[in-house]
Amino acid sequence: MQEASADNAPDSKASLPWHRTVVGKVAIFMLMGVIFAYLMGAMLGFTMVERSARDQWGREAQMNAQIVSATIRRIYTSVAVRTDPGGQVTQLVSTRPIGDEESVLSTGFSPIDVLALASAQTRHNVWLFSLTNSRRFTPVANAYSDTAGELVFPNAAELGNAPFANDFYVGFARIGGEAHFVSSLPIISPQGDLHGVVVSSIGLKSELYHLHRELILKIVASLGVVLLATALLLSMLMHRLFKPVPRLIRALTHIAHNRADRATPYTWRSDEIGCMAQAIETLRKKVEEREHLLEVKEQALRYQHLAHHDALTKLPNRVHFNDALQEAVTQAPHGAPFNVMIFDLDRFKAVNDTLGHAAGDTLLIEASQRVQALLEESDLVARLGGDEFSIIQQARHDGLAKAQQLAHQLVEVLKEPFAIDGHEVHIGVSVGIALAPRDGTSSHTLLRSADVALYTAKAMGRGRYAVFNPAMTMGGAPHEG
């Protein structure tokens, strides 16, 4: 017999994990080695390129600052500079803001002309910004004569407050919503007050990082090619050594999708493939058995639901309601009091006779939905038959007030018109109320009391509610609303 049981398979083979097989070890070693080597090489290369590029950008930005400061000093002879020990210009010192009307009249140059001269040498745009009272930099002029937006430096905490401490700054900044790599020369008064800044760019951030993007794309492409070649090699190796594995995987996939009608292949083999196949076959049989039991259970639940719910409104039916009422009566001595309401729809028969049974069914569905919207989570509404409904309302405190409140809401919400098949339909509702345990300690007594109250409400003109009173059975006046 070829179909051997998984329980009879050799323990050593059945317990052999995948990572201890030859193919598993080769696959793991090759993939991990390739990924590790490429990731380390990519990280190292990217770091070196990033550092080199940053240094180059910084040197170019500092050179631009030197060129801009020299150009400004040629025009504005009253401007002085401050330098660091290495000779780098770090500040422009001026008794008044550069680029104002007085400087234009005294030099004959507009700020745009001065910035254009500097831009011609740096081959990039140069901006002049003034500092407002709110410590924001607004544009005065730029070399390209285009519209410039506000100057925004990166987080000041990351820069050691450099732009706001009147210091020279080299790095990224946003001008008019675009990120540039810039050098920023503060313009200060002899007393140290900041007038503004002269900013020269070496290029947009997106342009400067173009090389980085190309490098990353090449790294990803190379890694993809190597991984593809490795995957092809491994697939060929696994195909030769473990040809049955794809079929066993498909068998497991069928089981995972609850398709357990096909027998598992290779159960006759005595190696680890056979052990795996036998385990899959055992699982398949278990799944097949479980699916059959689930179908039986689902069918039983479906029948049970149909037996306890109304097919039209999907509400609990009379059987379900009677069971719930009997349970509530049983728990009443130990639990909270509750109310029982019976109500039916006034003028429902006229709608049924005039517009047809389909319209009547729609009316019942919409009316039941309105009623459900009024109930709390612990309450229960059921359709007893026709247009007759009943409610079990939990009432831990002041049951009479809760019953009257809900009954009043029922009357109000159901007298609102319904739109049925293009017709405006008006109905009403009559409600009878019994309080447990005051009006009965058995389900039969409570239903009878609520029914008597309902009859009284109808007799008093419909479209109202009545609370059961023992006097009702003896012709006394009911408590109604």
Side-chain angles (χ1 to χ4, degrees):
M1 184 175 181
Q2 291 181 335
E3 295 292 330
S5 172
D7 296 336
N8 298 327
D11 292 340
S12 60
K13 294 179 180 178
S15 60
L16 185 63
W18 176 81
H19 65 272
R20 291 180 57 189
T21 62
V22 174
V23 173
K25 292 178 180 180
V26 171
I28 293 174
F29 178 79
M30 292 182 66
L31 288 177
M32 294 300 294
V34 169
I35 293 175
F36 178 78
Y38 266 82
L39 287 180
M40 290 299 295
M43 290 175 60
L44 181 61
F46 185 80
T47 302
M48 293 175 62
V49 171
E50 174 75 14
R51 184 176 300 174
S52 174
R54 283 275 187 167
D55 292 342
Q56 179 184 350
W57 298 341
R59 289 191 296 270
E60 185 176 350
Q62 291 175 351
M63 180 61 68
N64 283 356
Q66 298 283 59
I67 294 172
V68 171
S69 65
T71 303
I72 290 176
R73 291 181 63 196
R74 284 199 300 269
I75 305 299
Y76 301 105
T77 57
S78 61
V79 174
V81 297
R82 291 177 181 172
T83 62
D84 61 13
Q88 173 66 48
V89 176
T90 58
Q91 291 179 333
L92 298 176
V93 182
S94 175
T95 57
R96 60 179 303 103
I98 295 176
D100 60 0
E101 293 183 0
E102 183 176 333
S103 65
V104 174
L105 293 175
S106 62
T107 62
F109 286 89
S110 69
I112 296 177
D113 297 334
V114 178
L115 298 179
L117 289 174
S119 175
Q121 299 178 66
T122 62
R123 298 182 181 179
H124 292 285
N125 202 353
V126 182
W127 295 266
L128 175 63
F129 293 91
S130 63
L131 182 67
T132 65
N133 293 333
S134 60
R135 305 293 290 177
R136 302 171 73 91
F137 292 102
T138 58
V140 176
N142 70 87
Y144 291 169
S145 301
D146 55 2
T147 302
E150 190 177 63
L151 170 65
V152 180
F153 288 100
N155 190 301
E158 297 176 3
L159 304 172
N161 294 317
F164 305 101
N166 305 349
D167 289 338
F168 178 58
Y169 167 69
V170 172
F172 286 108
R174 301 189 69 83
I175 302 176
E178 293 184 319
H180 295 258
F181 194 93
V182 302
S183 60
S184 173
L185 271 175
I187 305 171
I188 64 173
S189 68
Q191 293 78 25
D193 297 328
L194 183 65
H195 293 314
V197 293
V198 177
V199 177
S200 60
S201 170
I202 67 167
L204 289 169
K205 182 177 182 179
S206 58
E207 296 173 351
L208 295 174
Y209 273 102
H210 180 69
L211 178 62
H212 293 65
R213 290 196 298 270
E214 288 186 349
L215 176 62
I216 293 174
L217 289 176
K218 290 179 180 178
I219 292 173
V220 172
S222 300
L223 180 59
V225 170
V226 173
L227 289 179
L228 179 61
T230 304
L232 290 174
L233 180 62
L234 287 175
S235 64
M236 293 173 59
L237 180 63
M238 293 182 68
H239 180 73
R240 289 180 62 87
L241 298 180
F242 285 88
K243 186 177 180 179
V245 170
R247 293 190 62 187
L248 294 178
I249 291 176
R250 284 195 296 272
L252 277 174
T253 304
H254 291 156
I255 294 174
H257 290 84
N258 295 325
R259 297 198 301 269
D261 54 337
R262 298 181 182 179
T264 307
Y266 303 110
T267 55
W268 50 268
R269 291 180 56 156
S270 59
D271 56 5
E272 60 185 6
I273 294 296
C275 295
M276 183 185 298
Q278 292 165 19
I280 294 173
E281 177 63 13
T282 302
L283 176 63
R284 184 192 70 82
K285 292 179 179 178
K286 294 292 185 182
V287 169
E288 192 174 32
E289 180 180 352
R290 187 203 65 175
E291 288 301 312
H292 177 69
L293 293 176
L294 286 176
E295 288 179 3
V296 173
K297 183 179 179 180
E298 289 176 359
Q299 191 74 5
L301 290 175
R302 190 158 48 248
Y303 287 141
Q304 183 181 10
H305 184 272
L306 292 175
H308 290 80
H309 287 78
D310 176 51
L312 177 64
T313 63
K314 311 305 180 187
L315 295 178
N317 59 14
R318 183 183 293 272
V319 175
H320 190 162
F321 177 80
N322 288 338
D323 292 343
L325 180 58
Q326 185 60 44
E327 177 68 18
V329 169
T330 303
Q331 298 295 330
H334 311 287
F338 62 93
N339 303 322
V340 177
M341 300 183 185
I342 297 179
F343 63 94
D344 57 20
L345 306 181
D346 301 332
R347 297 184 294 278
F348 173 75
K349 185 175 183 303
V351 175
N352 234 3
D353 294 342
T354 305
L355 301 180
H357 291 290
D361 290 345
T362 303
L363 178 59
L364 287 173
I365 294 172
E366 294 190 9
S368 66
Q369 291 173 347
R370 291 189 185 183
V371 172
Q372 284 180 293
L374 300 176
L375 302 183
E376 297 181 0
E377 187 177 353
S378 58
D379 299 338
L380 172 71
V381 59
R383 183 188 177 197
L384 303 183
D387 64 334
E388 186 178 12
F389 298 81
S390 188
I391 293 175
I392 299 176
Q393 181 192 34
Q394 300 299 323
R396 185 173 298 275
H397 303 291
D398 201 354
L400 177 60
K402 289 197 66 173
Q404 290 175 328
Q405 180 184 7
L406 178 57
H408 176 74
Q409 291 175 333
L410 287 172
V411 171
E412 292 299 317
V413 77
L414 291 178
K415 74 179 182 182
E416 294 293 329
F418 293 81
I420 308 294
D421 295 338
H423 299 277
E424 188 175 277
V425 175
H426 294 267
I427 62 171
V429 65
S430 300
V431 186
I433 304 171
L435 277 62
R438 190 195 73 176
D439 299 329
T441 56
S442 68
S443 60
H444 174 75
T445 306
L446 287 170
L447 286 174
R448 182 178 178 278
S449 298
D451 205 36
V452 169
L454 173 63
Y455 177 79
T456 302
K458 289 183 177 181
M460 297 184 67
R462 301 178 183 269
R464 63 186 61 214
Y465 67 88
V467 181
F468 175 76
N469 190 314
M472 289 179 177
T473 58
M474 297 179 292
H479 184 284
E480 55 85 22

